[in-house]
Amino acid sequence: MIYNYKNIKMKLRILSFLALILTTSTVFAQKTGEEIFKENTCNACHMLTDMKLVGPGLAGILDRRDRAWVKKWITNSEALIASGDEQAIAVFEEHNKVPMLAYDLPEEDLETLIDYI
């Protein structure tokens, strides 16, 4: 059997290139809000309904709070409470003065998460 090594070499290069593209697109794929919610164990304290768990239920959160406030709360609830924000203090006191953990999420993930909840 005679092998055309040029053809084999070219096919290997093409396969390698395709593998690289598939791997790269998977690595850089945007996470869904559900993935971010689960990865950060938000479901340990929150439900996506109006029911309380450790923290408040998240259904309709953007009807109760504006988006900028929600971002501040997720990224650093203690700083928001310390700033004297009345809504933050009320949420803190209503939930047994348990502060929410601070999450340093990339802006894109934060937006996706808020859209999801």
Side-chain angles (χ1 to χ4, degrees):
M1 183 180 252
I2 299 175
Y3 292 102
N4 183 338
Y5 288 104
K6 253 187 174 177
N7 269 344
I8 292 172
K9 205 172 180 183
M10 180 60 78
K11 287 178 184 178
L12 285 173
R13 283 185 183 159
I14 291 170
L15 286 173
S16 296
F17 180 71
L18 290 174
L20 177 66
I21 289 173
L22 288 173
T23 305
T24 304
S25 64
T26 302
V27 169
F28 293 108
Q30 173 62 34
K31 295 176 193 172
T32 66
E34 182 177 12
E35 290 169 334
I36 297 165
F37 190 81
K38 289 178 179 176
E39 279 179 8
N40 291 283
T41 63
C42 302
N43 55 348
C45 296
H46 298 282
M47 297 183 74
L48 294 173
T49 66
D50 57 358
M51 293 179 60
K52 288 183 184 181
L53 201 52
V54 174
L58 298 176
I61 188 68
L62 293 178
D63 296 333
R64 299 189 304 274
R65 311 279 187 260
D66 70 31
R67 191 175 197 91
W69 188 95
V70 173
K71 283 182 181 181
K72 288 177 187 176
W73 182 263
I74 292 170
T75 56
N76 193 342
S77 69
E78 290 185 79
L80 192 57
I81 294 162
S83 76
D85 183 282
E86 291 178 15
Q87 292 178 331
I89 293 168
V91 171
F92 178 65
E93 290 178 354
E94 184 180 337
H95 295 89
N96 301 317
K97 297 186 177 185
V98 176
M100 184 171 135
L101 297 173
Y103 292 92
D104 184 23
L105 297 172
E107 182 69 19
E108 191 172 345
D109 285 0
L110 190 56
E111 290 290 338
T112 301
L113 175 62
I114 293 170
D115 288 343
Y116 173 70
I117 60 174

